[in-house]
PDB file of all heavy atoms in Angstrom:
ATOM      1  N   ILE A   1      57.203-124.415  12.873  1.00  0.00           N
ATOM      2  CA  ILE A   1      56.065-124.931  13.593  1.00  0.00           C
ATOM      3  C   ILE A   1      55.637-126.226  12.893  1.00  0.00           C
ATOM      4  O   ILE A   1      55.563-126.248  11.665  1.00  0.00           O
ATOM      5  CB  ILE A   1      54.920-123.933  13.664  1.00  0.00           C
ATOM      6  CG1 ILE A   1      55.378-122.653  14.404  1.00  0.00           C
ATOM      7  CG2 ILE A   1      53.683-124.518  14.327  1.00  0.00           C
ATOM      8  CD1 ILE A   1      54.391-121.552  14.448  1.00  0.00           C
ATOM      9  N   LEU A   2      55.404-127.245  13.684  1.00  0.00           N
ATOM     10  CA  LEU A   2      55.051-128.560  13.144  1.00  0.00           C
ATOM     11  C   LEU A   2      53.576-128.584  12.756  1.00  0.00           C
ATOM     12  O   LEU A   2      52.763-129.302  13.333  1.00  0.00           O
ATOM     13  CB  LEU A   2      55.359-129.664  14.166  1.00  0.00           C
ATOM     14  CG  LEU A   2      56.785-129.695  14.717  1.00  0.00           C
ATOM     15  CD1 LEU A   2      56.958-130.728  15.835  1.00  0.00           C
ATOM     16  CD2 LEU A   2      57.730-129.993  13.592  1.00  0.00           C
ATOM     17  N   ALA A   3      53.249-127.814  11.761  1.00  0.00           N
ATOM     18  CA  ALA A   3      51.883-127.701  11.244  1.00  0.00           C
ATOM     19  C   ALA A   3      51.976-127.282   9.799  1.00  0.00           C
ATOM     20  O   ALA A   3      52.987-126.710   9.336  1.00  0.00           O
ATOM     21  CB  ALA A   3      51.082-126.702  12.039  1.00  0.00           C
ATOM     22  N   SER A   4      50.902-127.525   9.089  1.00  0.00           N
ATOM     23  CA  SER A   4      50.875-127.120   7.649  1.00  0.00           C
ATOM     24  C   SER A   4      50.654-125.607   7.520  1.00  0.00           C
ATOM     25  O   SER A   4      50.114-124.992   8.468  1.00  0.00           O
ATOM     26  CB  SER A   4      49.744-127.841   6.903  1.00  0.00           C
ATOM     27  OG  SER A   4      48.481-127.393   7.366  1.00  0.00           O
ATOM     28  N   ALA A   5      51.054-125.032   6.444  1.00  0.00           N
ATOM     29  CA  ALA A   5      50.818-123.606   6.179  1.00  0.00           C
ATOM     30  C   ALA A   5      49.330-123.352   6.199  1.00  0.00           C
ATOM     31  O   ALA A   5      48.880-122.268   6.631  1.00  0.00           O
ATOM     32  CB  ALA A   5      51.466-123.229   4.828  1.00  0.00           C
ATOM     33  N   ARG A   6      48.541-124.286   5.749  1.00  0.00           N
ATOM     34  CA  ARG A   6      47.072-124.133   5.713  1.00  0.00           C
ATOM     35  C   ARG A   6      46.548-123.959   7.147  1.00  0.00           C
ATOM     36  O   ARG A   6      45.764-123.014   7.406  1.00  0.00           O
ATOM     37  CB  ARG A   6      46.386-125.355   5.068  1.00  0.00           C
ATOM     38  CG  ARG A   6      44.914-125.366   5.220  1.00  0.00           C
ATOM     39  CD  ARG A   6      44.270-126.468   4.564  1.00  0.00           C
ATOM     40  NE  ARG A   6      44.002-126.024   3.196  1.00  0.00           N
ATOM     41  CZ  ARG A   6      43.499-126.773   2.230  1.00  0.00           C
ATOM     42  NH1 ARG A   6      43.209-128.025   2.469  1.00  0.00           N
ATOM     43  NH2 ARG A   6      43.292-126.269   1.062  1.00  0.00           N
ATOM     44  N   SER A   7      46.949-124.822   8.059  1.00  0.00           N
ATOM     45  CA  SER A   7      46.488-124.704   9.481  1.00  0.00           C
ATOM     46  C   SER A   7      46.959-123.373  10.112  1.00  0.00           C
ATOM     47  O   SER A   7      46.208-122.708  10.816  1.00  0.00           O
ATOM     48  CB  SER A   7      47.057-125.825  10.308  1.00  0.00           C
ATOM     49  OG  SER A   7      46.535-127.071   9.906  1.00  0.00           O
ATOM     50  N   LEU A   8      48.198-122.966   9.820  1.00  0.00           N
ATOM     51  CA  LEU A   8      48.718-121.757  10.360  1.00  0.00           C
ATOM     52  C   LEU A   8      48.002-120.508   9.814  1.00  0.00           C
ATOM     53  O   LEU A   8      47.653-119.574  10.560  1.00  0.00           O
ATOM     54  CB  LEU A   8      50.218-121.673  10.121  1.00  0.00           C
ATOM     55  CG  LEU A   8      50.993-122.757  10.927  1.00  0.00           C
ATOM     56  CD1 LEU A   8      52.390-122.959  10.327  1.00  0.00           C
ATOM     57  CD2 LEU A   8      51.064-122.428  12.351  1.00  0.00           C
ATOM     58  N   TYR A   9      47.781-120.551   8.464  1.00  0.00           N
ATOM     59  CA  TYR A   9      47.129-119.405   7.842  1.00  0.00           C
ATOM     60  C   TYR A   9      45.669-119.247   8.446  1.00  0.00           C
ATOM     61  O   TYR A   9      45.230-118.171   8.703  1.00  0.00           O
ATOM     62  CB  TYR A   9      47.034-119.643   6.344  1.00  0.00           C
ATOM     63  CG  TYR A   9      46.446-118.503   5.554  1.00  0.00           C
ATOM     64  CD1 TYR A   9      47.210-117.371   5.247  1.00  0.00           C
ATOM     65  CD2 TYR A   9      45.113-118.513   5.126  1.00  0.00           C
ATOM     66  CE1 TYR A   9      46.696-116.318   4.546  1.00  0.00           C
ATOM     67  CE2 TYR A   9      44.595-117.465   4.412  1.00  0.00           C
ATOM     68  CZ  TYR A   9      45.355-116.355   4.093  1.00  0.00           C
ATOM     69  OH  TYR A   9      44.845-115.298   3.422  1.00  0.00           O
ATOM     70  N   ARG A  10      45.029-120.381   8.686  1.00  0.00           N
ATOM     71  CA  ARG A  10      43.663-120.354   9.260  1.00  0.00           C
ATOM     72  C   ARG A  10      43.636-119.704  10.658  1.00  0.00           C
ATOM     73  O   ARG A  10      42.604-119.153  11.056  1.00  0.00           O
ATOM     74  CB  ARG A  10      43.059-121.742   9.303  1.00  0.00           C
ATOM     75  CG  ARG A  10      42.566-122.149   7.906  1.00  0.00           C
ATOM     76  CD  ARG A  10      41.645-123.312   8.002  1.00  0.00           C
ATOM     77  NE  ARG A  10      42.300-124.504   8.477  1.00  0.00           N
ATOM     78  CZ  ARG A  10      42.087-125.724   7.996  1.00  0.00           C
ATOM     79  NH1 ARG A  10      41.252-125.920   7.054  1.00  0.00           N
ATOM     80  NH2 ARG A  10      42.736-126.721   8.524  1.00  0.00           N
ATOM     81  N   ALA A  11      44.759-119.792  11.374  1.00  0.00           N
ATOM     82  CA  ALA A  11      44.805-119.196  12.750  1.00  0.00           C
ATOM     83  C   ALA A  11      44.728-117.672  12.605  1.00  0.00           C
ATOM     84  O   ALA A  11      44.482-117.023  13.625  1.00  0.00           O
ATOM     85  CB  ALA A  11      46.086-119.603  13.429  1.00  0.00           C
ATOM     86  N   PHE A  12      44.978-117.118  11.472  1.00  0.00           N
ATOM     87  CA  PHE A  12      44.840-115.679  11.223  1.00  0.00           C
ATOM     88  C   PHE A  12      43.430-115.283  10.755  1.00  0.00           C
ATOM     89  O   PHE A  12      43.137-114.093  10.683  1.00  0.00           O
ATOM     90  CB  PHE A  12      45.839-115.229  10.143  1.00  0.00           C
ATOM     91  CG  PHE A  12      47.265-115.111  10.621  1.00  0.00           C
ATOM     92  CD1 PHE A  12      48.052-116.250  10.696  1.00  0.00           C
ATOM     93  CD2 PHE A  12      47.834-113.857  10.913  1.00  0.00           C
ATOM     94  CE1 PHE A  12      49.355-116.149  11.116  1.00  0.00           C
ATOM     95  CE2 PHE A  12      49.155-113.782  11.352  1.00  0.00           C
ATOM     96  CZ  PHE A  12      49.928-114.932  11.458  1.00  0.00           C
ATOM     97  N   LEU A  13      42.588-116.293  10.395  1.00  0.00           N
ATOM     98  CA  LEU A  13      41.292-116.002   9.856  1.00  0.00           C
ATOM     99  C   LEU A  13      40.193-116.121  10.874  1.00  0.00           C
ATOM    100  O   LEU A  13      39.004-115.935  10.548  1.00  0.00           O
ATOM    101  CB  LEU A  13      41.012-116.978   8.741  1.00  0.00           C
ATOM    102  CG  LEU A  13      42.020-116.959   7.559  1.00  0.00           C
ATOM    103  CD1 LEU A  13      41.601-117.989   6.512  1.00  0.00           C
ATOM    104  CD2 LEU A  13      42.109-115.606   6.959  1.00  0.00           C
ATOM    105  N   ASP A  14      40.507-116.459  12.128  1.00  0.00           N
ATOM    106  CA  ASP A  14      39.487-116.676  13.150  1.00  0.00           C
ATOM    107  C   ASP A  14      39.816-115.768  14.336  1.00  0.00           C
ATOM    108  O   ASP A  14      40.903-115.886  14.935  1.00  0.00           O
ATOM    109  CB  ASP A  14      39.538-118.144  13.581  1.00  0.00           C
ATOM    110  CG  ASP A  14      38.513-118.488  14.606  1.00  0.00           C
ATOM    111  OD1 ASP A  14      38.743-118.123  15.797  1.00  0.00           O
ATOM    112  OD2 ASP A  14      37.516-119.131  14.257  1.00  0.00           O
ATOM    113  N   ALA A  15      38.944-114.882  14.683  1.00  0.00           N
ATOM    114  CA  ALA A  15      39.184-113.907  15.767  1.00  0.00           C
ATOM    115  C   ALA A  15      39.443-114.583  17.112  1.00  0.00           C
ATOM    116  O   ALA A  15      40.365-114.132  17.845  1.00  0.00           O
ATOM    117  CB  ALA A  15      37.958-112.954  15.914  1.00  0.00           C
ATOM    118  N   GLU A  16      38.729-115.649  17.441  1.00  0.00           N
ATOM    119  CA  GLU A  16      38.946-116.318  18.701  1.00  0.00           C
ATOM    120  C   GLU A  16      40.320-116.992  18.740  1.00  0.00           C
ATOM    121  O   GLU A  16      41.027-116.917  19.726  1.00  0.00           O
ATOM    122  CB  GLU A  16      37.834-117.357  18.963  1.00  0.00           C
ATOM    123  CG  GLU A  16      37.938-118.006  20.298  1.00  0.00           C
ATOM    124  CD  GLU A  16      36.748-118.917  20.581  1.00  0.00           C
ATOM    125  OE1 GLU A  16      35.726-118.766  19.966  1.00  0.00           O
ATOM    126  OE2 GLU A  16      36.978-119.833  21.421  1.00  0.00           O
ATOM    127  N   MET A  17      40.685-117.670  17.640  1.00  0.00           N
ATOM    128  CA  MET A  17      42.024-118.256  17.592  1.00  0.00           C
ATOM    129  C   MET A  17      43.109-117.188  17.712  1.00  0.00           C
ATOM    130  O   MET A  17      44.075-117.376  18.458  1.00  0.00           O
ATOM    131  CB  MET A  17      42.192-119.038  16.269  1.00  0.00           C
ATOM    132  CG  MET A  17      41.465-120.381  16.276  1.00  0.00           C
ATOM    133  SD  MET A  17      41.763-121.272  14.692  1.00  0.00           S
ATOM    134  CE  MET A  17      43.423-121.885  15.025  1.00  0.00           C
ATOM    135  N   MET A  18      42.958-116.077  17.010  1.00  0.00           N
ATOM    136  CA  MET A  18      43.954-115.020  17.044  1.00  0.00           C
ATOM    137  C   MET A  18      44.088-114.471  18.454  1.00  0.00           C
ATOM    138  O   MET A  18      45.176-114.286  18.942  1.00  0.00           O
ATOM    139  CB  MET A  18      43.627-113.885  16.070  1.00  0.00           C
ATOM    140  CG  MET A  18      44.750-112.885  16.030  1.00  0.00           C
ATOM    141  SD  MET A  18      44.427-111.564  14.812  1.00  0.00           S
ATOM    142  CE  MET A  18      44.806-112.428  13.303  1.00  0.00           C
ATOM    143  N   ALA A  19      42.984-114.280  19.154  1.00  0.00           N
ATOM    144  CA  ALA A  19      43.051-113.798  20.528  1.00  0.00           C
ATOM    145  C   ALA A  19      43.792-114.776  21.414  1.00  0.00           C
ATOM    146  O   ALA A  19      44.497-114.334  22.360  1.00  0.00           O
ATOM    147  CB  ALA A  19      41.634-113.556  21.068  1.00  0.00           C
ATOM    148  N   ASN A  20      43.738-116.046  21.111  1.00  0.00           N
ATOM    149  CA  ASN A  20      44.403-117.068  21.938  1.00  0.00           C
ATOM    150  C   ASN A  20      45.882-117.144  21.719  1.00  0.00           C
ATOM    151  O   ASN A  20      46.650-117.525  22.629  1.00  0.00           O
ATOM    152  CB  ASN A  20      43.759-118.443  21.684  1.00  0.00           C
ATOM    153  CG  ASN A  20      42.437-118.586  22.403  1.00  0.00           C
ATOM    154  OD1 ASN A  20      42.262-118.126  23.522  1.00  0.00           O
ATOM    155  ND2 ASN A  20      41.523-119.221  21.736  1.00  0.00           N
ATOM    156  N   TRP A  21      46.371-116.790  20.505  1.00  0.00           N
ATOM    157  CA  TRP A  21      47.823-116.948  20.272  1.00  0.00           C
ATOM    158  C   TRP A  21      48.552-115.630  20.133  1.00  0.00           C
ATOM    159  O   TRP A  21      49.794-115.590  20.371  1.00  0.00           O
ATOM    160  CB  TRP A  21      48.066-117.812  19.071  1.00  0.00           C
ATOM    161  CG  TRP A  21      47.706-117.257  17.730  1.00  0.00           C
ATOM    162  CD1 TRP A  21      46.545-117.493  17.040  1.00  0.00           C
ATOM    163  CD2 TRP A  21      48.472-116.364  16.906  1.00  0.00           C
ATOM    164  NE1 TRP A  21      46.579-116.752  15.861  1.00  0.00           N
ATOM    165  CE2 TRP A  21      47.768-116.129  15.727  1.00  0.00           C
ATOM    166  CE3 TRP A  21      49.764-115.832  17.048  1.00  0.00           C
ATOM    167  CZ2 TRP A  21      48.213-115.304  14.728  1.00  0.00           C
ATOM    168  CZ3 TRP A  21      50.214-114.975  16.013  1.00  0.00           C
ATOM    169  CH2 TRP A  21      49.464-114.751  14.885  1.00  0.00           C
ATOM    170  N   ARG A  22      47.939-114.552  19.866  1.00  0.00           N
ATOM    171  CA  ARG A  22      48.636-113.319  19.537  1.00  0.00           C
ATOM    172  C   ARG A  22      49.216-112.595  20.784  1.00  0.00           C
ATOM    173  O   ARG A  22      50.232-111.960  20.685  1.00  0.00           O
ATOM    174  CB  ARG A  22      47.709-112.348  18.799  1.00  0.00           C
ATOM    175  CG  ARG A  22      48.435-111.327  17.938  1.00  0.00           C
ATOM    176  CD  ARG A  22      48.624-111.880  16.594  1.00  0.00           C
ATOM    177  NE  ARG A  22      49.589-111.278  15.724  1.00  0.00           N
ATOM    178  CZ  ARG A  22      49.338-110.844  14.487  1.00  0.00           C
ATOM    179  NH1 ARG A  22      48.119-110.874  14.058  1.00  0.00           N
ATOM    180  NH2 ARG A  22      50.307-110.426  13.750  1.00  0.00           N
ATOM    181  N   ALA A  23      48.504-112.718  21.884  1.00  0.00           N
ATOM    182  CA  ALA A  23      48.964-112.000  23.116  1.00  0.00           C
ATOM    183  C   ALA A  23      50.226-112.622  23.681  1.00  0.00           C
ATOM    184  O   ALA A  23      50.297-113.847  23.884  1.00  0.00           O
ATOM    185  CB  ALA A  23      47.879-112.019  24.167  1.00  0.00           C
ATOM    186  N   PRO A  24      51.242-111.783  23.952  1.00  0.00           N
ATOM    187  CA  PRO A  24      52.461-112.327  24.555  1.00  0.00           C
ATOM    188  C   PRO A  24      52.177-112.681  26.044  1.00  0.00           C
ATOM    189  O   PRO A  24      51.163-112.341  26.618  1.00  0.00           O
ATOM    190  CB  PRO A  24      53.463-111.178  24.475  1.00  0.00           C
ATOM    191  CG  PRO A  24      52.671-109.963  24.147  1.00  0.00           C
ATOM    192  CD  PRO A  24      51.330-110.361  23.612  1.00  0.00           C
ATOM    193  N   GLU A  25      53.164-113.366  26.647  1.00  0.00           N
ATOM    194  CA  GLU A  25      53.034-113.805  28.013  1.00  0.00           C
ATOM    195  C   GLU A  25      52.743-112.589  28.922  1.00  0.00           C
ATOM    196  O   GLU A  25      53.308-111.493  28.746  1.00  0.00           O
ATOM    197  CB  GLU A  25      54.349-114.431  28.460  1.00  0.00           C
ATOM    198  CG  GLU A  25      54.308-115.121  29.792  1.00  0.00           C
ATOM    199  CD  GLU A  25      55.587-115.835  30.106  1.00  0.00           C
ATOM    200  OE1 GLU A  25      56.155-116.494  29.226  1.00  0.00           O
ATOM    201  OE2 GLU A  25      56.028-115.719  31.286  1.00  0.00           O
TER     202      GLU A  25
END
């Protein structure tokens, strides 16, 4: 993924962000 580990790790620390990316199609 064209992002830093810091940005990616933060996506696991925010419930709203996680809800946006975790669900499969």
Side-chain angles (χ1 to χ4, degrees):
I1 299 177
L2 305 175
S4 69
R6 171 179 271 177
S7 295
L8 293 162
Y9 185 81
R10 282 197 295 219
F12 284 79
L13 302 180
D14 182 285
E16 186 176 335
M17 285 182 77
M18 185 177 284
N20 284 321
W21 68 264
R22 205 90 197 234
E25 189 175 318

